[in-house]
Amino acid sequence: MLRLIHTADWHLGQSFHGQERHEEHRAFLAWLLETLVERDADALLVAGDIFDVVNPSLRAQELLFDFIVSAHERLPTLDIVLIAGNHDSGNRIELPAPLMQRLRTHARGRVRWLDDGRLDAGRLLVPLTDASGETRAWCLALPFLRPAEVTGQLAPDEAGKDEEAPNDYVAGINRVHHELIDAAREKRGDGQALVAMSHAHLHGAAVSEASERPIVIGGEESISAALFPDDIAYVALGHLHRAQKVGDERIRYSGSPLPLDFSELNYAHQVVEATLDGERLAGVESLPVPRPVAMHRLGPAPLEDVLAELETLELDDALPRERWPWLELRVELEAPMPDLRARVDAALEGRPLRLLRLERRLPQVAAEDAPERVDLETLGPRRLFERTWQGRWGEPPDNDVLADFDRLRQDVLDSGEEDSA
C-alpha cells in the first residue's frame, strides 16, 4: 500500500485586495505537515501554482523551503513532487532542484526536448517509494505546458492534423501526454502504479466565479480526460480551485486549500488522500482544511440591511489582528452616497474585522446612450481587445486576428517570466 496526499494551488504570497496572507498560508502548511505525519503519508504531490506570481517575495519562498525542510525532518522517507503551474516561473521552481533533491523533493518546472525531437520523458518520471525504500509507483510530473514549449516541436505532418485537437497548442499537449505515458509504461515494473500529475483545465470541469484567470489566453486550452488511460491509477490535477472529480473517481482536482476570492466561500477546501494497492487505486478520501481566517461576504442589500447583518456576526475580540476575519460588503444604493465609506467605517469601529472590499451597486441607467460600465479586472485582456476592435472597425475580429493576439500576449507573459527568473 502507498499513501499519497494530493494538493495544489497554494498561491503562496497572494495579495488579497492588497493585503498579505502569510499567516494563513503558514497555518495551512503547519496543518498539512501534521496531517502528513498523522496519515503516515508516503508522498506529497503539489500540482502547480505553488506561488501566486512568477516572481514571489522572499517571505513566500521562505514558507515553501521551511515547509520542505520540516517535512523531511519529520518524515525522512517522504517523497515530495512539485510541478509549476501557470502562475509559477518554471525556471524559478527548478532553480533549487539540486538542493531540494537531497530532501527527497523533486521539482519540475518545464518540459525539455532531446536532440532527436523526442520528449525528455525520463526527467519527468519520479519514483514514489514506501517506507522501506521500495519503488511502488511512478509519478508522471507534468508541469504547465506553455504554447512556446510544445507547438514548435510538432512535425509538419502533425500540426493541425490531430482530429481531437482544435489547434496546434492542444495537439502539442496531446503529444506530450502520449509520449510521457508511453515512457512510463516502459519504465515501471510489475506491481508498480502510474500516477499522473498535471496543471491543466479539463473539459467539463467546474471553474470558480471570479478567482481563476484563463490558463492560456483564448480559452482553447482545455484538454480531454481521455488523455489519461485506465492504466493510470490516479490523476492529481491543479489549476481549478473547486475540488472535484472529472468523470472518473481517479481523476481529481484537489482544489485550493484556502479561498482565494470571496466567490470561493461556499464550498469546501481540502487536500485528497489517495491510497494505492499495487497498480490500482484502493481508495480516495477528502481531508477538509481548517480555515485559519474567517471570511464574511455580506449583501448585496441596502446599507441598513448590510449593517444589520454585520451586527449579527459572532466575533472574537481576543484574536490577534493577523487572524481577524476578512470582510466584503456589497451595498445596493438608489443614488450615490458620498459618505458611504465613513458610515461603514463607523459601524466597524472597534470590531475585529478587516474590510477588504466595499462594492457599491447603483441602479442601472435606462437611457440607451448611457455609457456602459466596464470592470476591467473581470473583463480580461482578450475580451477588452475584442471590444476595442469592434468599436474601431465596426465588426468583431476574425479567428486569425485573435490567434495573433493570443500569441503576442503569451510571448509577453513568457518574456516577463524569463526576466524575473
Side-chain angles (χ1 to χ4, degrees):
M1 303 289 283
L2 194 72
R3 184 169 288 109
L4 315 175
I5 300 296
H6 163 207
T7 179
D9 296 282
W10 293 358
H11 289 268
L12 300 179
Q14 182 204 16
S15 177
F16 196 29
H17 295 280
Q19 301 296 314
E20 293 182 343
R21 305 185 73 181
H22 291 295
E23 290 303 317
E24 290 173 89
H25 288 128
R26 183 176 288 110
F28 160 67
L29 292 175
W31 172 87
L32 178 60
L33 179 57
E34 294 304 321
T35 299
L36 290 167
V37 173
E38 292 171 7
R39 310 297 287 203
D40 195 22
D42 296 299
L44 172 66
L45 308 181
V46 188
D49 282 357
I50 299 162
F51 298 113
D52 191 58
V53 294
V54 297
N55 191 20
S57 68
L58 291 178
R59 290 186 67 188
Q61 295 178 70
E62 182 182 355
L63 284 174
L64 174 64
F65 299 136
D66 281 351
F67 170 80
I68 290 173
V69 170
S70 297
H72 185 67
E73 290 174 344
R74 299 281 298 276
L75 293 165
T77 63
L78 178 74
D79 293 312
I80 301 178
V81 187
L82 314 171
I83 59 172
N86 59 303
H87 280 249
D88 298 312
S89 162
N91 292 332
R92 183 177 295 279
I93 292 297
E94 289 194 354
L95 184 63
L99 290 176
M100 290 196 291
Q101 197 157 340
R102 293 177 177 269
L103 304 175
R104 300 181 67 89
T105 297
H106 309 271
R108 300 294 181 265
R110 289 189 178 276
V111 297
R112 296 177 186 170
W113 300 89
L114 302 174
D115 292 340
D116 61 4
R118 291 181 297 116
L119 176 72
D120 186 0
R123 64 181 296 273
L124 302 177
L125 298 176
V126 179
L128 303 179
T129 61
D130 60 17
S132 68
E134 189 74 21
T135 298
R136 297 297 183 187
W138 289 91
C139 179
L140 290 67
L142 190 59
F144 167 60
L145 299 172
R146 288 173 168 78
E149 295 176 339
V150 297
T151 56
Q153 301 299 326
L154 290 174
D157 59 342
E158 290 180 294
K161 296 297 180 65
D162 190 336
E163 293 181 358
E164 297 180 356
N167 55 42
D168 289 350
Y169 176 49
V170 177
I173 290 176
N174 290 353
R175 179 194 170 187
V176 169
H177 281 79
H178 293 321
E179 291 195 19
L180 181 57
I181 292 170
D182 287 345
R185 287 167 172 163
E186 294 181 7
K187 186 80 171 178
R188 72 169 172 181
D190 293 339
Q192 294 177 343
L194 298 182
V195 176
M197 180 162 62
S198 180
H199 193 87
H201 184 177
L202 263 60
H203 295 324
V207 302
S208 297
E209 175 186 321
S211 62
E212 296 159 358
R213 68 188 185 204
I215 198 166
V216 169
I217 309 306
E220 296 179 348
E221 78 287 348
S222 59
I223 62 177
S224 171
L227 282 177
F228 304 105
D230 292 341
D231 59 339
I232 295 182
Y234 184 74
V235 180
L237 296 169
H239 175 54
L240 301 185
H241 298 166
R242 185 186 295 270
Q244 59 194 289
K245 61 182 179 181
V246 185
D248 194 321
E249 189 73 15
R250 68 193 173 91
I251 303 177
R252 289 181 176 263
Y253 286 96
S254 65
S256 59
L258 300 173
L260 300 173
D261 183 83
F262 284 99
S263 64
E264 297 185 4
L265 280 176
N266 297 323
Y267 59 81
H269 293 260
Q270 61 173 44
V271 301
V272 179
E273 181 185 79
T275 305
L276 303 177
D277 185 0
E279 299 180 7
R280 67 180 184 85
L281 179 66
V284 176
E285 182 178 354
S286 298
L287 307 178
V289 177
R291 192 168 292 177
V293 172
M295 297 174 66
H296 302 291
R297 190 185 208 190
L298 308 185
L303 177 61
E304 293 74 14
D305 295 341
V306 170
L307 295 183
E309 189 177 358
L310 183 63
E311 289 294 327
T312 66
L313 295 180
E314 296 184 5
L315 304 173
D316 183 356
D317 292 329
L319 286 175
R321 184 177 181 83
E322 61 269 18
R323 292 294 181 97
W324 286 7
W326 303 116
L327 177 65
E328 179 186 60
L329 301 181
R330 297 173 293 171
V331 181
E332 295 176 340
L333 301 173
E334 295 182 356
M337 184 181 293
D339 65 340
L340 174 62
R341 183 57 190 259
R343 294 180 63 178
V344 168
D345 287 343
L348 293 174
E349 181 69 29
R351 311 199 72 186
L353 287 165
R354 290 178 287 178
L355 178 63
L356 281 186
R357 188 164 183 260
L358 176 58
E359 179 184 338
R360 300 164 174 83
R361 296 194 174 188
L362 290 166
Q364 293 186 351
V365 178
E368 294 183 359
D369 59 349
E372 182 180 359
R373 298 182 63 185
V374 176
D375 185 341
L376 294 180
E377 183 176 354
T378 59
L379 189 63
R382 192 176 199 260
R383 183 66 184 133
L384 180 60
F385 172 75
E386 291 176 356
R387 291 166 63 102
T388 304
W389 183 283
Q390 174 83 33
R392 175 65 178 83
W393 301 108
E395 60 182 26
D398 60 28
N399 290 335
D400 289 340
V401 171
L402 291 175
D404 288 341
F405 175 82
D406 293 341
R407 282 191 290 270
L408 177 61
R409 185 165 189 267
Q410 192 65 48
D411 287 345
V412 172
L413 291 173
D414 290 342
S415 175
E417 176 179 315
E418 291 172 1
D419 291 343
S420 64

